[in-house]
Amino acid sequence: MTTGVTEKPSRRPVRSPSASRAGRRTVSGGPPPTTRAAGPTGRSGPPGRPESRQRWLAALAALVVLLFGARLVYVQAIKGPELAQEALASRLHTSDTPAHRGDITDADGTVLATSVERYEVYADQKTIAQFVPTSSHQIDGMPVEGEGATAVARLLAPVLGRDPLELAADLVPEDPDRPNRHKVLKKDVVPEVQRAIAALNLRSVIGTDLVSERTYPAGSVAGNIVGYTGDVDGAQVGQGGAERMFDDVLGGTAGTVTFERGKGGQQIPTGEEDRVEASPGDDVALTVESDIQWKSQDAIDAAVKKHGADYGMVIVQDVRTGAVVALADSGTGDPNDRSTSAVADGSRVVSNIFDPGSTGKVITMSAVLENGIAEPESEFEVPYRYTTENGQTFKDSHEHPVEKMTLAGILAQSSNTGTVMVGQELPEQVRYDYLSKFGFGRMTGLGMPGESAGLLRPVDSWDGAMKYTVLFGQGVSVNAMQATSVFSTIANGGVRMPPTLLAGTTDASGVFTPTPAQEGTRVVSQETADTVLRMMEGVVAAEDGTGGRAVVPGYRVAGKTGTAQMQGADGKLSAIMASFIGVAPVDDPRYTVGVFLKNPRTSPYGGVVAAPVFQDVMGFTLEHKGVAPSTETFEPYATSW
């Protein structure tokens, strides 16, 4: 029997310290030991877990999604409407639409000023650079060649009547980095041309703005009254004359249009749009009558030329209402012509002042009669020279021996010395009061731009001479309207009617609203006014009167001549104003006409240079208005004794 031998397992060799320091040795036949990475402390740790990293990444992704979701909810649900509104606002553009300015007409409806529709054509130089024509952009049925400014110019030039090359140069910005988005190409474009431009389908690069252009069909007729307008922020605003006086009535209220526009500035067809329609202005009817205004301008222009005067003025006023029928300046400019400053000069009738001279004697005579100092046929011995008790000496225009004149004769012959002899009986304050009541030293109420109130000094500033010179129209300054109104007051029975230019207004619906009738102010009694008017008739009708050249055949005329000093270019009283102011018909007064000529070279006397103009204008006015000739005969006062 065989006996088996059992082998004992061998023992693991024991490492010596040197072997341990040298590193581990591998037992023959066994696998190498696994080496673990050292941790942060230098010690080996467990192997990494990918599941943990995946969980962290998933959590981070979920957080990001949550944040984006919350932001999306905030933007869409909470902030959305506000942001949408801001975006819309950035695309909205608002522009004003001008209101139609009302017309200015004369008393008969003749148009003196009106507004016409015009357009301003402009280019957007920024969008033009990117312009690419489409099949709709054609010339004579053929697609337009080129791109950008070249193509736009080829399409637009024939419509604007410009050379394509020159127009293309305007479409290209001088500085490429600073294109002009509103480069004006042409102004005052008529509607027909604007419609042709719209048909070119260039709205993204070419625009048109509606503007209102003021035009004056009557030209220079009443140009000094009508005035003119100027462009202020795209609207026509009155700058002178009636345009300025009645600007609030004529101007209306501008409207607005708000629309959504695209990146190129063009209106988005389906976008937001909101309109507030403009309210047109009212039409204004003046009291002026074009035919009489024309006649007045023509007559005074001819007189200025004939007598070599610096300038002249004519006023025609309705004595019953105070309405100004004509207000003429020589050399009146045409408001359509802005090449000179003539239109901007305004009317001398209200702006230029002068001493009224002998026409002011009418006030003295009214005060003398009203206060019972003398009667029309009171007798006076009138010398050529007269010295007052304070040593002031005055003289008449012509040397003469002592003459026996009545009060009516003193006025008829325009005697300075006689006027002083009678007028000195009036207290100084009374002299001042009558000058003031007749309208001197205050605004007329006409309302024209540039009006001067004249100069009427208070009594306590009158020197030794002035207290007498005011009696015959020196030492007090007035404008032509103020001087003329004195005679209208006498012709109206002693009641002063403020002068007016406004007859009424017509609104957009065609309803005419007349100017309310004005209330007059009594200055002197009816009896005094009638007496003075009859005395003034002697100035024209009497053989020795100074106004014989003012006679209008078939009508009784009353008036007064005047020759007065006025300030010259040197600032001194070196110039003269020759005048004649009269009324007709005396038996039923209707109109007052005042004529004034500065520095006439042929003669300084109003009876010589101004009275014939009065005759011409008054005769035309009476005939034009169909005023019946006088039927009552003149019963003159005695002018001498």
Side-chain angles (χ1 to χ4, degrees):
M1 178 174 168
T2 303
T3 305
V5 179
T6 303
E7 294 182 355
K8 296 181 180 180
S10 62
R11 298 180 178 178
R12 180 177 298 176
V14 178
R15 296 180 183 176
S16 65
S18 60
S20 177
R21 288 192 298 269
R24 295 179 181 176
R25 298 176 183 266
T26 303
V27 179
S28 177
T34 301
T35 302
R36 294 178 180 175
T41 60
R43 295 176 300 178
S44 299
R49 294 183 175 182
E51 297 86 351
S52 177
R53 288 197 298 272
Q54 290 173 355
R55 283 195 297 272
W56 278 106
L57 290 174
L60 181 60
L63 179 61
V64 171
V65 171
L66 180 63
L67 290 175
F68 274 102
R71 180 63 179 172
L72 185 62
V73 170
Y74 174 76
V75 170
Q76 292 287 349
I78 300 175
K79 197 71 174 178
E82 181 181 345
L83 293 174
Q85 190 63 35
E86 290 178 358
L88 176 61
S90 68
R91 297 192 301 273
L92 291 179
H93 173 72
T94 300
S95 61
D96 292 334
T97 54
H100 177 81
R101 189 173 180 84
D103 292 348
I104 299 176
T105 71
D106 76 348
D108 297 324
T110 300
V111 177
L112 302 176
T114 190
S115 294
V116 293
E117 186 179 276
R118 292 293 183 266
Y119 291 85
E120 181 180 86
V121 182
Y122 66 91
D124 184 344
Q125 292 179 331
K126 182 176 181 179
T127 57
I128 282 178
Q130 288 83 40
F131 175 76
V132 177
T134 66
S135 59
S136 65
H137 299 111
Q138 298 182 357
I139 299 178
D140 296 331
M142 299 295 293
V144 65
E145 297 180 358
E147 296 181 353
T150 301
V152 173
R154 286 175 175 169
L155 291 165
L156 186 60
V159 179
L160 293 183
R162 296 189 58 183
D163 179 78
L165 294 179
E166 292 181 356
L167 180 59
D170 284 344
L171 301 178
V172 178
E174 296 180 4
D175 183 352
D177 296 328
R178 301 179 63 183
N180 187 343
R181 308 211 65 178
H182 196 98
K183 172 70 174 180
V184 176
L185 302 178
K186 192 170 185 179
K187 295 182 177 181
D188 300 331
V189 172
V190 297
E192 293 80 4
V193 174
Q194 188 274 337
R195 288 192 289 270
I197 293 172
L200 295 176
N201 193 22
L202 295 173
R203 293 181 181 178
S204 62
V205 293
I206 300 296
T208 57
D209 284 339
L210 175 64
V211 294
S212 181
E213 180 180 300
R214 203 65 167 166
T215 184
Y216 302 90
S220 63
V221 176
N224 59 326
I225 303 172
V226 174
Y228 65 105
T229 62
D231 185 86
V232 178
D233 296 330
Q236 294 294 313
V237 177
Q239 301 291 315
E243 293 276 28
R244 179 176 170 183
M245 293 166 63
F246 309 116
D247 188 61
D248 291 344
V249 177
L250 293 164
T253 304
T256 59
V257 56
T258 301
F259 59 89
E260 193 173 355
R261 58 183 181 180
K263 184 177 180 181
Q266 74 278 13
Q267 182 175 357
I268 299 175
T270 59
E272 293 283 337
E273 181 177 310
D274 182 45
R275 290 180 178 272
V276 176
E277 297 299 329
S279 299
D282 291 350
D283 294 341
V284 167
L286 302 179
T287 58
V288 173
E289 298 192 28
S290 294
D291 289 342
I292 300 176
Q293 177 71 25
W294 170 83
K295 180 60 179 179
S296 300
Q297 289 183 206
D298 183 68
I300 197 62
D301 281 339
V304 167
K305 182 178 180 180
K306 178 180 179 179
H307 300 293
D310 293 350
Y311 61 79
M313 303 169 285
V314 172
I315 299 170
V316 181
Q317 185 178 25
D318 187 322
V319 302
R320 300 174 178 179
T321 64
V324 174
V325 180
L327 191 152
D329 288 274
S330 62
T332 293
D334 182 348
N336 295 299
D337 180 8
R338 302 299 176 83
S339 61
T340 69
S341 64
V343 174
D345 291 340
S347 176
R348 305 183 190 96
V349 169
V350 295
S351 62
N352 290 19
I353 61 174
F354 50 89
D355 289 8
S358 293
T359 58
K361 292 172 183 174
V362 171
I363 297 176
T364 300
M365 295 301 165
S366 299
V368 166
L369 291 168
E370 190 83 350
N371 287 273
I373 293 173
E375 297 294 330
E377 295 183 338
S378 296
E379 300 171 350
F380 301 91
E381 291 186 352
V382 181
Y384 167 61
R385 293 179 184 272
Y386 179 76
T387 301
T388 62
E389 60 182 9
N390 69 346
Q392 301 294 324
T393 299
F394 302 96
K395 62 181 181 178
D396 283 338
S397 59
H398 297 87
E399 189 169 352
H400 61 81
V402 175
E403 294 184 1
K404 294 182 177 182
M405 298 182 184
T406 63
L407 185 66
I410 290 173
L411 182 64
Q413 296 188 40
S414 196
S415 172
N416 293 337
T417 58
T419 302
V420 172
M421 290 173 63
V422 182
Q424 66 185 349
E425 300 300 322
L426 292 167
E428 293 175 20
Q429 186 61 50
V430 173
R431 303 173 203 178
Y432 175 91
D433 291 343
Y434 275 89
L435 291 168
S436 178
K437 287 194 293 183
F438 272 100
F440 288 6
R442 65 171 100 172
M443 302 296 277
T444 64
L446 199 59
M448 292 189 71
E451 179 178 343
S452 170
L455 181 61
L456 176 60
R457 296 179 178 87
V459 175
D460 57 11
S461 68
W462 291 359
D463 59 23
M466 188 179 295
K467 64 178 65 176
Y468 299 105
T469 60
V470 296
L471 295 170
F472 54 84
Q474 298 284 5
V476 56
S477 296
V478 298
N479 61 43
M481 189 73 251
Q482 290 171 319
T484 302
S485 291
V486 171
F487 289 73
S488 294
T489 299
I490 294 297
N492 194 42
V495 177
R496 182 179 182 274
M497 301 299 295
T500 181
L501 275 169
L502 180 62
T505 59
T506 302
D507 62 21
S509 61
V511 177
F512 177 74
T513 303
T515 301
Q518 300 187 95
E519 292 186 8
T521 303
R522 180 160 293 283
V523 178
V524 295
S525 67
Q526 178 80 50
E527 181 182 1
T528 295
D530 290 345
T531 302
V532 173
L533 190 63
R534 185 177 166 190
M535 290 169 62
M536 289 195 301
E537 189 170 5
V539 174
V540 178
E543 292 183 4
D544 54 355
T546 60
R549 291 179 173 86
V551 171
V552 178
Y555 297 89
R556 290 171 57 188
V557 175
K560 184 69 187 75
T561 57
T563 299
Q565 293 177 305
M566 67 179 298
Q567 194 175 62
D570 57 2
K572 301 178 181 179
L573 295 177
S574 57
I576 65 166
M577 182 67 77
S579 61
F580 183 89
I581 309 174
V583 177
V586 174
D587 46 335
D588 184 19
R590 290 294 309 277
Y591 297 101
T592 300
V593 173
V595 180
F596 308 84
L597 287 162
K598 180 185 177 184
N599 282 339
R601 272 47 176 192
T602 58
S603 172
Y605 300 114
V608 175
V609 298
V613 181
F614 168 90
Q615 180 192 59
D616 192 15
V617 174
M618 179 63 86
F620 180 89
T621 301
L622 295 173
E623 181 180 358
H624 181 76
K625 298 300 293 182
V627 178
S630 297
T631 57
E632 299 179 12
T633 58
F634 171 47
E635 297 181 3
Y637 289 116
T639 58
S640 61
W641 55 279

